[in-house]
Amino acid sequence: MNSDLHYDYATVGHVTVDVLEDGTRRPGGSAFYAALQAARLGLRAAIFTRGRPAEVQALLAPHRAELDLHVQAAPRTTTLRTRWQGGERHQQVLAWAGPIAPPARIDTGILHLAPVARETPASRPDGAGFLGFTPQGLARAWGADGHVRHEAGPPVLAALALAGASDALVISEQERAGCAALLQAAARGGALVAITAGGRPTTLLVAGAGPLSLPVAAREPPRDELGAGDVFAAAFFVALREGAPAAAAARFGQAAAAVRMRGLGAGAIGARAALERELSRPAPAPAPARAPLG
């Protein structure tokens, strides 16, 4: 990588081919959704990923004016088939690009480690001012049939070290149990932890304080939920980096998710003005969470 390049927001994780129930193929992955959200907040954003370069570049062609893209060549691009059943998302891994070996240094204000299928680097690249971590991809396992299970074995020491070194960590309620050890490592390291739960309250754990429950404002049924947690994380990390208190940063993340879910695909990811309009809607009052995290 050119050492003169500097980013405001850089993600490390697989850009995926998402195959929907109707056979539609579109770009996906936490690294993609989060970087695009950061770009639409006015940040210079980049993705460091692995896959077939021509395929990844074609997937992201509509967004290349918004993002810098660095692709480590692999024989295949991670491909996920997604379907919904009983209100829950079910995924199947059709192809896997393998682990990412990012540059030793990425000059960026915010570095977001965003695994989707156990591709997290073994160590944190140098050069970042703020480390955000969304470790959901470490709680995903799949067998010969490719069907994803939300259960992780004992986390590797490198993942625990990354969690402990993070400034903030976001996890979904669905994958909370599989990432329990990582959440504990993050809390011991003083990281701010957010646990999202769809339309249910977001739980925050602030170092030195008790859990805080932030209700989600009532909204119309979502049109498309893919990537909602990823744009929450990006907006949350950006707000924290800009100096917002924990609850305000989480509300900014909730606004990003709400805007995203009103439309279809990455085109629905909102710019800063759209998020600020969403924030102007009355917000429910926060409340102490009933149970500790971890």
Side-chain angles (χ1 to χ4, degrees):
M1 172 181 169
N2 185 337
S3 61
D4 293 332
L5 291 177
H6 177 81
Y7 298 108
D8 303 308
Y9 197 105
T11 62
V12 178
H14 284 169
V15 173
T16 64
V17 180
D18 284 356
V19 182
L20 306 185
E21 290 183 87
D22 62 359
T24 301
R25 296 164 68 90
R26 69 187 193 192
S30 299
F32 165 62
Y33 282 113
L36 189 56
Q37 177 65 83
R40 292 186 180 173
L41 293 176
L43 281 67
R44 186 181 181 194
I47 301 172
F48 291 80
T49 190
R50 179 177 170 87
R52 291 178 58 216
E55 184 173 29
V56 175
Q57 290 162 6
L59 277 170
L60 299 194
H63 311 288
R64 286 306 310 279
E66 300 178 87
L67 298 164
D68 275 8
L69 179 63
H70 304 266
V71 185
Q72 185 178 103
R76 57 189 61 84
T77 301
T78 294
T79 303
L80 302 174
R81 176 178 289 139
T82 300
R83 63 182 178 85
W84 297 87
Q85 183 176 1
E88 292 189 359
R89 182 174 63 180
H90 298 269
Q91 291 184 305
Q92 182 181 9
V93 178
L94 304 180
W96 187 59
I100 296 175
R105 181 178 182 85
I106 302 176
D107 290 312
T108 180
I110 299 172
L111 176 63
H112 177 178
L113 299 180
V116 68
R118 295 179 173 266
E119 75 275 22
T120 304
S123 61
R124 169 184 177 172
D126 293 331
F130 177 104
L131 179 61
F133 196 13
T134 50
Q136 287 95 327
L138 301 179
R140 294 172 186 155
W142 59 94
D145 60 2
H147 290 288
V148 174
R149 304 184 306 276
H150 300 291
E151 53 187 41
V156 298
L157 292 177
L160 289 172
L162 288 170
S166 299
D167 293 288
L169 186 148
V170 176
I171 191 76
S172 71
E173 181 65 35
Q174 184 182 21
E175 289 145 327
R176 176 177 179 174
C179 289
L182 294 173
L183 291 177
Q184 292 167 1
R188 287 195 299 270
L192 172 62
V193 174
I195 299 178
T196 63
R200 300 189 302 278
T202 300
T203 303
L204 292 178
L205 180 63
V206 183
L212 182 67
S213 179
L214 292 179
V216 174
R219 63 174 74 95
E220 59 272 25
R223 294 184 66 193
D224 178 10
E225 297 181 20
L226 284 177
D230 306 319
V231 302
F232 171 98
F236 180 59
F237 296 155
V238 169
L240 290 172
R241 176 68 170 170
E242 292 176 348
R251 292 204 187 284
F252 195 56
Q254 289 176 340
V259 170
R260 162 66 192 87
M261 290 189 292
R262 288 202 186 100
L264 298 175
I269 295 174
R272 192 177 289 266
L275 272 60
E276 290 174 349
R277 286 194 297 272
E278 182 67 24
L279 282 171
S280 69
R281 299 170 67 178
R290 293 186 177 183
L293 301 180

